[in-house]
Amino acid sequence: MTRLIALAAAGLLVAGAVSASAPPAEPKSPLQPVLTGTVHQALFAIDFGGALGVAVGAGGEVQESSDSGASWKMVQAPTQLSLLGVGVADGKAVAVGQSGLVLTRGADGKWTEGQSGSKQRLLAVEINAAGRALAVGAFGTVLLSDDAGKTWRSVAPGWAEFAADGMEPHMYAAHVAADGTLTIAGEFGLILRSGDAGASWTALHKGEASLFALQLREDGVGYAVGQSGAILRSADGGATWEERPSGTGALLLGVHAAADGRVLVTGMRDMLVSRDGGQSFSQVQGGGVNSLWFVGVAQASASAPVLAVGQAGQIVSLKP
């Protein structure tokens, strides 16, 4: 199962007042369109490194922003394969996708196809300011680059230690800390960490529900979300995790904890928001939330809006 849906969020919504004879009013939409595509388009991932933002999707689509997401422009990419993940940091950008596809963005703004050494579908990638990039994907694929995506090597764990019966679990999310520490998440509720560039791995969490998205902030707050409404929270940089009640059984596939204390979660035809640091979550209503999906959520800075990408090539801004 591929990781598709993404994150969106907004404030609690209140339906407008109605008269006794009038039909119920639609709840006010929490989403403000920034970019709208066609029914044949789909964007799967978004990330920012300062003012530079990149969103990627089906058919090799690449959208770029140079103004913290206020405006977007489609750029030429050397592929027609779907791009499923993107990471941006300090002017560097890496995108990954089907059949082991890797694209890197040069200083001139041009995208170049690289060689990952894998033919497996790559589902997520992250890069830090030093140029260390981590990509994960199908059947236990875990790849590491120390040169901003130009060259890659496999650093997959010995899966027999973490998964039964010789299974190689799909990995859906990746994080690279400023100091180079690697964290990955995926099937069987697995969250694994390596502090030695993938030479060894330690299990931080294991459960029943697959985890599709992971966020770890520099202040130690972290979230992971996944199947059957699963939400996990960490207060110590991911060393330990606790389950948080979501109130939904939906597939949750994106999460972003904003600096103002909101936690924003999207899922398949569902969307959640917390305003109390993840202690409780409410379902967002209105704006077609319950019939649409969004994949990928990011924020350029604490003062910039949270943006989500998804169905029909949309980029939407989430109201505070």
Side-chain angles (χ1 to χ4, degrees):
M1 175 179 186
T2 59
R3 172 181 169 272
L4 290 181
I5 310 309
L7 163 58
L12 300 175
L13 303 176
V14 179
V18 296
S19 68
S21 59
E26 284 293 320
K28 185 178 179 181
S29 173
L31 307 179
Q32 295 177 323
V34 176
L35 180 70
T36 301
T38 72
V39 294
H40 302 293
Q41 289 177 276
L43 293 173
F44 299 133
I46 182 173
D47 198 20
F48 285 95
L52 175 62
V54 181
V56 300
E61 181 175 351
V62 177
Q63 297 277 352
E64 290 188 4
S65 173
S66 60
D67 54 11
S68 300
S71 62
W72 294 83
K73 179 181 179 181
M74 188 181 294
V75 300
Q76 185 67 37
T79 185
Q80 293 185 337
L81 295 178
S82 289
L83 296 165
L84 304 173
V86 66
V88 187
D90 196 30
K92 309 173 185 71
V94 182
V96 299
Q98 292 178 325
S99 302
L101 176 66
V102 171
L103 302 182
T104 59
R105 185 182 188 273
D108 59 0
K110 293 183 179 180
W111 289 84
T112 302
E113 185 171 351
Q115 298 296 322
S116 70
S118 174
K119 294 299 183 183
Q120 297 294 347
R121 179 182 293 136
L122 299 178
L123 301 171
V125 64
E126 187 163 298
I127 185 171
N128 68 8
R132 172 165 283 185
L134 178 65
V136 298
F139 300 104
T141 302
V142 185
L143 305 175
L144 185 66
S145 172
D146 286 315
D147 53 12
K150 295 181 178 64
T151 61
W152 298 83
R153 66 184 186 276
S154 174
V155 293
W159 287 117
E161 181 180 352
F162 304 107
D165 301 324
M167 298 189 70
E168 297 178 318
H170 302 326
M171 291 287 107
Y172 295 105
H175 176 75
V176 185
D179 66 359
T181 298
L182 311 176
T183 307
I184 59 177
E187 282 193 294
F188 312 126
L190 285 173
I191 302 177
L192 306 182
R193 174 161 291 169
S194 175
D196 55 11
S200 62
W201 293 87
T202 300
L204 306 178
H205 184 271
K206 187 174 182 179
E208 297 296 326
S210 293
L211 299 173
F212 298 125
L214 173 73
Q215 182 198 17
L216 291 171
R217 298 193 324 204
E218 292 183 2
D219 63 1
V221 173
Y223 286 89
V225 301
Q227 279 181 316
S228 303
I231 298 179
L232 303 177
R233 186 184 189 277
S234 176
D236 54 13
T240 61
W241 297 85
E242 63 175 3
E243 295 183 7
R244 303 306 308 156
S246 67
T248 181
L251 292 175
L252 302 180
L253 300 168
V255 61
H256 182 82
D260 62 7
R262 289 174 299 156
V263 183
L264 314 171
V265 180
T266 55
M268 180 69 73
R269 296 183 294 277
D270 209 344
M271 192 178 296
L272 308 175
V273 59
S274 172
R275 293 186 177 278
D276 55 12
Q279 295 303 307
S280 62
F281 288 86
S282 299
Q283 289 181 303
V284 175
Q285 303 293 331
V289 165
N290 300 121
S291 61
L292 301 174
W293 54 260
F294 291 91
V295 182
V297 180
Q299 188 178 23
S301 67
S303 61
V306 178
L307 300 180
V309 300
Q311 191 171 348
Q314 295 183 84
I315 300 179
V316 295
S317 171
L318 309 172
K319 295 179 183 178

